[in-house]
């Protein structure tokens, strides 16, 4: 099974049009175009009954107290955790492509609805927790929202775009399910998978 993410090259920076946050000399960060990239796949094994798409960043600081704070930096040495940016499940076995901009085309303050979307069923990404304390942005963020790492992080972040071929038509998930729930539901049902990994940073010293 082979996954292609149009416009994204393995090991290279994510283009800004796919990012939630882009570098700003005045304010460190401003909203980006936040379009989901086109993802396509081929070579799924016989017996595939659905697909799932998972995009996540494994480099998010486990302690965010210093994130985006003037005069401080996020040390590259602190432990890191997974931050899910995109969860789509129950994608029909006949589907092999998600068009660019289909699941996100711009930043949506206060989020987007999870549940049935243009393709598959949307889970809840971790911007839901990250923005919970911001009264202008707090809400439930379903579907795709792109890279926006802390602008003072000493570490360049990596982004895994993954597609899974599954032996079930549905994972049985509904409501505001998260990345951990998707991983648990997929356990034992993955026939094949592939991923593309890219990088992103808002730290001008690392760009």
């Amino acid at each position: 099974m082979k996954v292609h993410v149009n416009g994204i090259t393995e090991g290279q920076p994510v283009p800004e049009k796919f990012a939630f946050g882009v570098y700003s000399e005045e304010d460190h960060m401003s909203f980006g175009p936040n379009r989901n990239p086109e993802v396509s796949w081929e070579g799924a094994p016989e017996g595939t009954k659905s697909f799932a798409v998972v995009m996540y960043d494994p480099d998010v600081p486990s302690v965010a107290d210093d994130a985006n704070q003037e005069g401080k930096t996020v040390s590259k040495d602190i432990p890191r955790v997974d931050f899910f940016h995109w969860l789509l499940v129950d994608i029909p076995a006949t589907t092999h492509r998600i068009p660019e901009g289909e699941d996100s085309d711009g930043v949506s303050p206060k989020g987007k609805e999870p549940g049935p979307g243009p393709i598959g069923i949307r889970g809840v990404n971790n911007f839901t927790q990250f923005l919970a304390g911001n009264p202008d942005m707090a809400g439930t963020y379903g579907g795709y929202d792109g890279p926006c790492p802390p602008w003072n992080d000493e570490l360049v972040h990596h982004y895994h775009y993954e597609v899974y071929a599954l032996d079930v038509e549905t994972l049985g998930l509904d409501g505001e399910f998260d990345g951990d729930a998707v991983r648990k539901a997929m356990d034992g049902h993955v026939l094949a998978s592939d991923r593309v990994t890219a990088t992103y940073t808002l730290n001008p010293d690392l760009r």
Side-chain angles (χ1 to χ4, degrees), residues 110 131-138:
K110 301 185 182 298
L131 296 172
N134 183 331
D136 295 325
M137 298 294 293

Side-chain angles (χ1 to χ4, degrees), residues 58-76:
D59 299 317
V60 169
S62 56
V63 178
D65 296 351
D66 293 336
N68 301 325
Q69 299 296 311
E70 292 284 356
K72 297 183 178 181
T73 59
V74 177
S75 170
K76 64 181 184 296

Side-chain angles (χ1 to χ4, degrees), residues 2-65:
K2 182 65 177 174
V3 169
H4 306 273
V5 185
N6 193 33
I8 292 179
T9 302
E10 179 74 25
Q12 297 300 307
V14 174
E16 287 191 343
K17 70 174 176 176
F18 303 135
F20 186 98
V22 297
Y23 174 68
S24 166
E25 189 172 341
E26 297 79 21
D27 302 317
H28 300 293
M29 189 278 289
S30 59
F31 289 142
N34 201 42
R35 291 173 63 83
N36 72 271
E38 177 188 293
V39 180
S40 61
W41 53 93
E42 59 194 11
E46 186 176 349
T48 298
K49 294 183 178 179
S50 71
F51 297 99
V53 171
V54 176
M55 176 200 167
Y56 73 100
D57 169 5
D59 299 317
V60 169
S62 56
V63 178
D65 296 351

